[in-house]
């Protein structure tokens, strides 16, 4: 204390609170102040002391001691028997609220295990609550296991640490399900006897039915992805069982929602409720938000707000819809469509790591068999065959055993990057971006191998095999490169001044992809004709089937070519629009004393620049910019942009692929609306106004608007 007093005598403290607040009010939303001694990293790492949402020490209850569940039982301060239906309904509803909050990335200690009854269910005398507690623990254990097996979660997605709580692992599924079945029968008898509180007992039965059906659903899923062949059903039987459980759960949720007010609620005059944020934590019978406070680090990184009961029902409904949706992957035939499905599934909001993990394990469980039935190697080979039909996979060329081994070894090495991309699309959207850059490295390596193998086969068999395997892998490489750049728009990583060269690179990649697909279609037809020539003695039925398959595949190539040509034209239009905006100073440029445009350009594309032939250079961009800047030819840029938008719209209107229609309609709307904007600019309307970009319809291509002058 003496040291502190002596230190304070040399200081002249000044209260700057009011000055600080006045200065901060001048900042716009999203703006930050940067100083040499306090940058973004310091701001993100800082903890606001005395704020309960950031300083975990402030939540500690210093006014009274918190007792454990066992201590409270010994002291007879907690109820363990003779619960009313309203009490049981309240406990069940708030337990599910805690569980779905855990799904969102919060700690088990701050969510599920603030329910004291889950700490030691064996000490609960009431068989109704005891059976529910055990089943919930089993559900938590299964979900925790699913997420950890899939390995597609990040720290912000999921907290798998169980803090050594007992998750009822010693209780078998059959025993747990029997316990809850006994309770269901007991409640059914009570309702039939026309007892008092009949509606409350019915509402309670609905919750037990839901819990049992969810438990059965997750257990069936667990058995299906297991390595035990005796417990695995056929895919058809499994999907039938799952759909029955899902339908039952969805119907029960409707009844649950209608009776959501039946459970007990916290008392408004309860001191604990007032002191500890009533809306954030359940504080009804059996819940103690501070019971696990000592298990947490001094400054826990996230403040936990438990979902409300109505939000919980909505979340469970969304969760069931996700589970139903993930099983639609079984309807897809082509591997390329499967990758698109994984990508689209990860886009769903709000993000749900549990459903993403379940999709991963269902499609490619640890057995390495697709849906537990088909070798992944077979799927990859079939994907290559459907895309470009290389002669080495068409059974019309006799390969010796040594050459077959070389080809098989190549496709086995292809499994790693394809497995990695599937796992990458299981992560949240923010993490996917950095992981795509890693997967691209794997594809570059395997593409080099494919070039060598193509040459080897050509020399070995005296036929032209050049490009077949290479183009198949190159197509995926270009798709993932464009996905990497597009994710920057989705995550809002790009500044407005970067848009012109982002769209330039996308235009280049998609133009390259279009040319590649045209060549692939030619090679596919060439290989198909060669195969038909060697099999001319086969019967007409087989010829008819092969002809039908060929036409379907050629139609696929046509649809893909038109799709990529359309988005290429769209990217070209936006490149010219933002180039014109930059020349006309409609876009604010960053100060050059911090860095240069070349440095920013190279930094933005650094993860992709190492891949040869994938991108243009800054010099190409600068050359195009200087060409129009010197001539002040922004009118020419707007004219070209309008033409490209119209051409792109016409390309999209020719695409008939059903799976692309929603995306196509969005692009058509963007093209039409921005064509009108370009015509207004060409007519001299709002020439000095700043552009306002609307990404609500499409995350990659904005609708441009101008403020009224």
């Amino acid at each position: 204390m003496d040291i502190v007093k002596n230190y304070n005598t040399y200081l002249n403290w000044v209260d700057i609170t009011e000055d600080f607040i006045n200065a901060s009010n001048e900042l716009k939303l999203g703006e930050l102040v940067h100083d040499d001694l306090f940058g973004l990293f310091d701001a993100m790492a800082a903890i606001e002391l005395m704020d309960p949402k950031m300083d975990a020490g402030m939540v500690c209850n210093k006014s009274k001691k918190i007792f454990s569940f066992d201590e409270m039982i010994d002291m007879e301060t907690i109820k363990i028997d003779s619960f009313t239906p309203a009490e049981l309904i309240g406990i069940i509803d708030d337990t599910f609220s805690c569980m779905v909050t855990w799904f969102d990335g919060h700690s088990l200690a701050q969510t599920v295990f603030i329910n004291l009854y889950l700490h030691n269910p064996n000490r609960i005398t009431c068989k109704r609550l005891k059976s529910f507690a055990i089943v919930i623990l089993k559900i938590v254990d299964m979900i925790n296991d699913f997420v950890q097996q899939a390995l597609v979660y990040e720290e912000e997605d999921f907290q798998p640490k169980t803090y050594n709580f007992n998750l009822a692992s010693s209780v078998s599924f059959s025993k747990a399900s029997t316990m809850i079945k006994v309770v269901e029968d007991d409640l059914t008898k009570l309702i039939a006897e026309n007892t008092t509180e009949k509606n409350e007992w019915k509402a309670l039965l609905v919750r037990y039915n839901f819990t049992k059906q969810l438990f059965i659903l997750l257990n069936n899923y667990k058995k299906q992805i297991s390595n035990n062949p005796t417990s695995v059903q056929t895919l058809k039987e499994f999907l039938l069982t799952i759909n029955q459980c899902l339908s039952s759960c969805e119907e029960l949720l409707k009844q649950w929602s209608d009776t959501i007010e039946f459970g007990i609620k916290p008392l408004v005059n309860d001191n604990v409720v007032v002191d500890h944020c009533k809306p954030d934590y359940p504080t009804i019978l059996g819940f103690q938000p501070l019971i696990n406070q000592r298990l947490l680090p001094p400054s826990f990184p996230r403040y936990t707000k438990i979902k409300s009961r109505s939000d919980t029902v909505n979340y469970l409904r969304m969760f069931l819809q996700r589970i139903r949706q993930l099983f639609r992957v079984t309807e897809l035939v082509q591997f390329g469509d499967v990758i698109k499905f994984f990508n689209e599934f990860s886009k769903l909001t709000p993000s749900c790591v549990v459903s993403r993990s379940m999709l991963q394990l269902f499609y490619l469980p640890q057995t390495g068999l697709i849906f537990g039935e088909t070798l992944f190697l077979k799927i990859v080979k079939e994907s290559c065959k459907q895309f470009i039909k290389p002669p080495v996979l068409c059974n019309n060329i006799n390969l010796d055993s040594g050459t077959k081994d070389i080809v098989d070894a190549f496709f086995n090495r292809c499994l790693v990057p394809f497995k990695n991309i599937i796992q990458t699309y299981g992560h949240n959207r923010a993490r996917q971006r950095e992981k795509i850059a890693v997967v691209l490295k794997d594809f570059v390596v395997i593409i080099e191998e494919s070039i060598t193998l193509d040459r080897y086969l050509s020399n070995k068999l005296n036929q032209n095999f050049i490009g077949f395997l290479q183009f198949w892998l190159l197509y995926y490489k270009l798709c993932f490169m464009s996905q990497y750049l597009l994710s920057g728009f989705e995550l809002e990583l790009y500044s407005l001044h970067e848009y012109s060269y982002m769209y330039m690179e996308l235009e280049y990649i998609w133009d390259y992809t279009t040319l590649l697909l045209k060549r692939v279609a030619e090679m596919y037809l060439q290989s198909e004709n060669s195969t038909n020539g060697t099999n001319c003695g086969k019967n007409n039925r087989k010829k008819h089937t092969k002809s039908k398959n060929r036409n379907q595949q050629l139609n696929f190539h046509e649809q893909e070519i038109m799709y990529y040509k359309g988005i290429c034209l769209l990217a070209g239009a936006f490149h010219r629009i933002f180039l014109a905006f930059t020349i006309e100073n409609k876009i604010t440029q960053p100060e050059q004393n911090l860095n240069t445009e070349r440095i920013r350009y190279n930094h933005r594309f650094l993860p992709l620049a190492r891949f040869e032939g994938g991108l243009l250079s800054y010099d190409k961009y600068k050359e195009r910019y200087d060409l129009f800047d010197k001539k002040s030819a922004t009118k020419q840029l707007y004219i070209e942009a309008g033409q490209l938008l119209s051409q792109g719209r016409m390309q999209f209107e020719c695409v008939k692929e059903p799976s692309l229609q929603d995306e196509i309609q969005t692009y058509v709307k963007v093209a039409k609306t921005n064509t009108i904007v370009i015509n207004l600019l060409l007519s001299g309307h709002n020439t000095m106004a700043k552009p306002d970009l609307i990404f609500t319809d499409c995350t990659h291509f904005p609708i441009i608007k101008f403020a009224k002058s």
Side-chain angles (χ1 to χ4, degrees):
M1 289 296 295
D2 293 337
I3 296 175
V4 174
K5 289 180 180 179
N6 293 334
Y7 181 69
N8 286 335
T9 57
Y10 295 101
L11 300 175
N12 182 21
W13 295 99
V14 178
D15 187 353
I16 63 167
T17 305
E18 186 175 352
D19 295 333
F20 177 81
I21 293 174
N22 292 334
S24 64
N25 288 335
E26 297 178 6
L27 293 173
K28 295 180 181 178
L29 183 64
E31 283 187 332
L32 297 172
V33 174
H34 183 277
D35 186 79
D36 292 338
L37 299 178
F38 192 83
L40 179 62
F41 177 80
D42 304 292
M44 296 300 293
I47 294 174
E48 187 175 346
L49 298 179
M50 312 302 287
D51 182 353
K53 292 188 176 182
M54 298 189 71
D55 187 355
M58 286 300 297
V59 188
C60 288
N61 192 338
K62 301 178 179 65
S63 62
K64 68 175 184 178
K65 182 179 178 180
I66 304 297
F67 295 99
S68 69
F69 179 53
D70 290 328
E71 289 173 336
M72 294 175 73
I73 292 176
D74 296 338
M75 296 165 57
E76 298 183 355
T77 56
I78 188 170
K79 192 174 184 179
I80 58 174
D81 199 5
S82 303
F83 292 93
T84 66
E87 289 172 338
L88 288 172
I89 290 171
I91 292 171
I92 291 172
D93 287 1
D94 282 350
T95 301
F96 272 103
S97 296
C98 292
M99 188 172 71
V100 298
T101 305
W102 172 54
F103 288 2
D104 272 353
H106 295 279
S107 155
L108 271 173
Q110 291 182 297
T111 54
V112 175
F113 285 105
I114 65 172
N115 182 348
L116 300 175
Y117 293 114
L118 299 180
H119 289 212
N120 190 358
N122 291 326
R123 296 204 64 180
I124 303 173
T125 309
C126 175
K127 65 180 181 180
R128 293 168 187 157
L129 184 55
K130 179 179 179 179
S131 63
F132 171 77
I134 289 174
V135 170
I136 284 294
L137 290 173
K138 298 289 290 182
I139 290 174
V140 168
D141 188 29
M142 284 191 287
I143 288 175
N144 193 47
D145 189 44
F146 296 158
V147 177
Q148 292 199 68
Q149 281 187 57
L151 288 175
V152 292
Y153 69 93
E154 303 293 334
E155 183 182 2
E156 66 269 23
D157 286 325
F158 193 74
Q159 299 288 331
K161 189 174 181 180
T162 60
Y163 299 93
N164 293 322
F165 282 110
N166 183 4
L167 297 180
S169 55
S170 61
V171 181
S172 66
F173 167 77
S174 58
K175 183 177 180 179
S177 56
T178 300
M179 292 173 66
I180 204 164
K181 180 68 168 61
V182 169
V183 174
E184 285 180 319
D185 293 340
D186 178 45
L187 293 175
T188 304
K189 288 179 182 179
L190 277 175
I191 295 168
E193 292 171 359
N194 295 320
T195 58
T196 57
E197 302 177 317
K198 185 173 183 177
N199 290 335
E200 286 79 0
W201 289 117
K202 283 184 178 179
L204 182 59
L205 179 59
V206 165
R207 285 154 175 79
Y208 275 98
N209 289 339
F210 176 85
T211 305
K212 186 186 75 172
Q213 290 297 326
L214 180 63
F215 185 40
I216 293 172
L217 186 154
L218 295 175
N219 186 70
N220 281 329
Y221 174 86
K222 178 182 178 181
K223 290 193 295 184
Q224 190 68 16
I225 64 172
S226 68
N227 293 324
N228 185 1
T230 60
S231 62
V232 177
Q233 299 174 291
T234 65
L235 185 60
K236 186 176 181 180
E237 292 172 343
F238 169 71
L239 292 176
L240 181 62
T241 304
I242 289 293
N243 283 325
Q244 289 173 349
C245 291
L246 285 170
S247 298
S248 298
C249 287
E250 288 168 346
E251 184 60 35
L252 290 165
L253 271 181
K254 294 177 184 177
Q255 301 175 47
W256 184 340
S257 180
D258 294 336
T259 59
I260 205 163
E261 298 297 326
F262 283 21
I264 58 170
K265 303 174 184 64
L267 298 175
V268 177
N269 60 353
D270 187 343
N271 291 331
V272 177
V273 175
V274 175
D275 293 342
H276 299 293
C277 307
K278 175 191 169 186
D280 295 355
Y281 282 97
T283 52
I284 62 169
L285 173 67
F287 287 81
Q288 176 49 261
L290 303 177
I291 187 65
N292 301 313
Q293 194 68 25
R294 298 302 177 187
L295 298 177
L296 306 177
S299 297
F300 207 65
R302 297 181 68 176
Y303 178 74
T304 303
K305 180 176 181 179
I306 305 298
K307 291 184 182 294
S308 67
R309 295 178 185 179
S310 57
D311 288 342
T312 297
V313 173
N314 292 332
Y315 190 100
L316 289 171
R317 187 178 291 112
M318 178 274 295
F319 179 61
L320 294 173
Q321 291 170 352
R322 295 281 175 88
I323 294 177
R324 188 183 291 278
Q325 187 170 353
L326 73 87
F327 291 122
R328 291 178 186 168
V329 72
T330 58
E331 302 169 5
L332 304 177
V333 178
Q334 296 196 357
F335 183 63
D337 292 334
V338 171
I339 292 178
K340 291 177 183 177
F341 181 89
F342 273 78
N343 183 25
E344 293 300 319
F345 193 84
S346 67
K347 287 182 182 178
L348 297 176
T349 54
S351 180
C352 176
V353 68
V354 180
S355 58
R356 296 200 314 268
S357 300
M358 291 177 70
L359 174 60
Q360 289 283 320
L361 295 176
F362 175 64
Y363 182 75
L364 190 58
Q366 294 178 339
T367 58
L369 300 176
I370 302 299
F371 307 132
E373 295 181 347
T374 310
L375 282 171
F376 189 45
L377 177 62
K378 182 179 178 181
I379 297 295
V380 172
K381 281 186 173 182
E382 191 62 28
S383 167
C384 179
K385 187 176 178 180
Q386 290 174 344
F387 183 73
I388 199 170
K389 200 160 190 177
V392 291
L393 297 179
C394 295
N395 299 324
N396 60 331
I397 294 178
N398 294 323
L399 301 177
D400 57 62
S401 59
T403 305
K404 282 183 179 180
D405 291 341
I406 292 173
V407 173
D408 288 340
F410 168 77
F411 279 102
N412 274 309
R413 286 193 292 275
C414 289
L415 299 184
V416 174
F418 280 115
K419 282 183 179 178
N420 288 343
I421 198 63
I422 287 175
Q423 189 175 51
T424 294
Y425 283 137
H427 286 268
N428 65 54
R429 300 298 286 181
R431 294 294 179 180
Q432 280 182 25
R433 181 177 168 84
E434 62 188 56
K435 292 182 181 297
I436 287 174
V438 176
V439 171
L440 277 168
K441 295 179 184 177
D442 298 334
F443 271 91
V444 169
V445 172
I446 205 70
I447 286 172
E448 292 297 325
E449 290 188 29
S450 70
I451 296 172
T452 304
L453 181 57
D454 281 335
R455 289 174 181 168
Y456 170 80
L457 292 172
S458 296
N459 296 330
K460 177 84 173 176
L461 303 172
N462 294 322
Q463 294 186 35
N464 184 14
F465 290 96
I466 300 298
F468 278 95
L469 300 177
Q470 176 192 356
F471 290 171
W472 168 58
L473 294 169
L474 185 58
Y475 169 76
Y476 284 105
K477 173 193 166 186
L478 293 172
C479 289
F480 299 143
M481 288 180 69
S482 63
Q483 179 65 39
Y484 179 86
L485 297 180
L486 290 174
S487 65
F489 288 102
E490 185 179 337
L491 299 171
E492 301 180 8
L493 300 180
Y494 304 142
S495 297
L496 194 57
H497 65 269
E498 296 178 294
Y499 280 19
S500 59
Y501 48 75
M502 297 308 304
Y503 285 117
M504 182 190 75
E505 294 292 3
L506 284 169
E507 180 188 14
Y508 176 74
I509 291 173
W510 286 330
D511 185 50
Y512 193 170
T513 306
T514 304
L515 295 174
L516 176 69
L517 285 168
K518 289 179 179 178
R519 179 60 183 142
V520 165
E522 294 172 0
M523 295 172 71
Y524 182 93
L525 186 59
Q526 174 188 346
S527 180
E528 181 70 22
N529 292 334
S530 175
T531 303
N532 289 339
T534 59
N535 296 330
C536 58
K538 301 219 173 167
N539 60 49
N540 291 332
R541 181 178 297 179
K542 290 186 177 179
K543 283 184 180 180
H544 176 73
T545 303
K546 287 190 174 183
S547 177
K548 183 179 179 181
N549 292 338
R550 179 184 66 178
N551 292 336
Q552 288 177 348
Q553 195 58 32
L554 290 174
N555 183 60
F556 161 77
H557 288 133
E558 284 180 14
Q559 295 292 303
E560 287 285 291
I561 289 168
M562 287 188 288
Y563 169 77
Y564 278 103
K565 183 64 176 176
I567 56 177
C568 174
L569 292 168
L570 218 57
F574 278 98
H575 162 58
R576 287 158 177 78
I577 291 170
F578 285 103
L579 199 63
F581 286 170
T582 303
I583 294 172
E584 293 178 345
N585 294 320
K586 292 185 188 306
I587 297 175
T588 304
Q589 298 295 315
E591 296 182 12
Q592 296 296 324
N593 61 339
L594 298 176
N595 52 43
T596 64
E597 187 178 56
R598 179 184 292 273
I599 292 174
R600 293 194 299 272
Y601 186 100
N602 292 335
H603 174 74
R604 180 59 73 191
F605 296 108
L606 181 62
L608 304 182
R610 66 194 73 176
F611 308 134
E612 185 179 352
L615 295 174
L616 296 172
S617 63
Y618 173 74
D619 292 331
K620 291 286 185 182
Y621 168 75
K622 190 62 177 174
E623 179 183 340
R624 183 177 296 185
Y625 176 84
D626 291 341
L627 176 65
F628 289 99
D629 186 31
K630 289 176 182 178
K631 298 179 181 179
S632 298
T634 56
K635 183 177 181 180
Q636 180 62 30
L637 286 171
Y638 288 137
I639 292 173
E640 291 180 11
Q643 292 172 347
L644 291 172
L645 287 171
S646 298
Q647 293 170 16
R649 178 174 56 82
M650 289 187 289
Q651 283 287 335
F652 288 134
E653 289 172 348
C654 295
V655 178
K656 305 301 180 184
E657 175 62 33
S659 62
L660 296 173
Q661 286 311 301
D662 291 341
E663 185 179 356
I664 292 299
Q665 292 306 314
T666 302
Y667 292 154
V668 168
K669 179 181 178 181
V670 169
K672 284 183 176 179
T673 307
N674 286 318
T675 300
I676 297 172
V677 174
I678 295 301
N679 291 334
L680 290 173
L681 285 171
L682 288 172
S683 66
H685 180 77
N686 272 356
T687 55
M688 301 303 294
K690 298 288 184 181
D692 184 18
L693 308 182
I694 311 298
F695 282 96
T696 52
D697 291 308
C698 180
T699 56
H700 309 141
F701 298 108
I703 289 177
I704 303 171
K705 294 184 178 181
F706 287 92
K708 293 182 179 180
S709 56

